[in-house]
Structure formats: C-alpha cells, structure tokens
Amino acid sequence: FIRFPTSQMRAFIDLSKEKGMANTLSTVCATGGGAYKFEKDIYRALNMKLYKFDELDSLMSGLRFISEINNDEIYYWQDPLDEEKVCKVPYEFKDPYPYMLVNIGSGVSILAVRGPTDYSRVSGTSLGGGTF
C-alpha cells in the first residue's frame, strides 16, 4: 500500500513518473474525495485509471480483515491513568455489535456500527486529526 494525502498528490504523480509505476500498473485503488478530484490529473499525467472505493466501506472491510487475520491489533488500554498498572489488552472482537468507530484522517467520521455491513455516519467534522 502507498498512502498519499490529497495535499501531496503532485508528489504522488511525480514519484509515479520517476519510478515508472505507469509502466507496470494500469489501475490504482483510491478512496475519499481525492479519488474523484484527481482522477483526470492522474489519467492525463500517468495514463492510469483510478478504481474508486467508498472510504467508509473500505474502513469497515479493513477492520473486519484485521479482526480475522491479526486480532492482536485490536486492543484497549487497561488502567490508563495508573502508570504502574497500565497495560495493553487484546479485545475479543467476535461479536462486538453495537459499537462506535471513530476514524481520524484528513477529516473525522464517527460511525454507529450495528452489524458487519450495517453502519451509518452519525457525526464528524472536516477538520482532521492534525488539527486536534
């Protein structure tokens, strides 16, 4: 995976040209508004097509994948206010519903998750994690 924020899209295009990515790839997968905003630029500069995925669907699929393949990445901090007792504890994610999921990126989305494919965005902001 290669991650480029939309503010660095010119760097992605330049790196793709420099490394010859357009010679080995014909399609790049992308999510978010930048997938639409820069689609023509990428096609024009690199002759590569963007396969666009819904950002929140991708987030949910990724969380399910991690829970099935590498559950050690799903955890919570027990006793976080006690420096002597604080420890990372794996969270059993077999039947977590309902739960809230907060995604912090270039913006923030708060999702109410009721089932594997049953979720909705209940709040959020266009201000990103770097702002907070």
Side-chain angles (χ1 to χ4, degrees):
F1 291 97
I2 300 174
R3 181 190 168 280
F4 276 88
T6 54
S7 63
Q8 299 294 316
M9 195 52 60
R10 185 77 246 163
F12 169 76
I13 291 171
D14 293 344
L15 179 66
S16 298
K17 282 182 181 179
E18 179 185 325
K19 299 297 182 183
M21 284 176 57
N23 299 330
T24 59
L25 301 172
S26 62
T27 305
V28 173
C29 297
T31 64
Y36 295 90
K37 182 177 180 180
F38 296 104
E39 181 175 25
K40 289 179 183 174
D41 295 337
I42 289 172
Y43 185 77
R44 205 174 305 119
L46 302 170
N47 197 32
M48 291 194 319
K49 294 180 183 174
L50 291 184
Y51 188 72
K52 297 176 289 297
F53 290 90
D54 179 83
E55 189 168 7
L56 299 181
D57 287 345
S58 297
L59 176 68
M60 296 303 300
S61 295
L63 183 57
R64 284 193 305 275
F65 176 78
I66 289 171
S67 73
E68 293 169 9
I69 303 302
N70 189 4
N71 199 42
D72 290 343
E73 289 299 316
I74 300 174
Y75 58 87
Y76 65 94
W77 292 102
Q78 183 172 305
D79 298 314
L81 300 177
D82 187 332
E83 289 185 28
E84 293 180 16
K85 291 183 180 180
V86 65
C87 62
K88 184 170 125 177
V89 178
Y91 180 77
E92 186 62 46
F93 206 71
K94 287 187 180 179
D95 187 25
Y97 310 104
Y99 66 90
M100 287 180 59
L101 178 63
V102 179
N103 184 47
I104 302 173
S106 59
V108 176
S109 289
I110 301 171
L111 308 178
V113 183
R114 294 170 288 283
T117 58
D118 181 10
Y119 68 88
S120 59
R121 184 176 187 271
V122 294
S123 189
T125 177
S126 60
L127 299 176
T131 304
F132 297 114

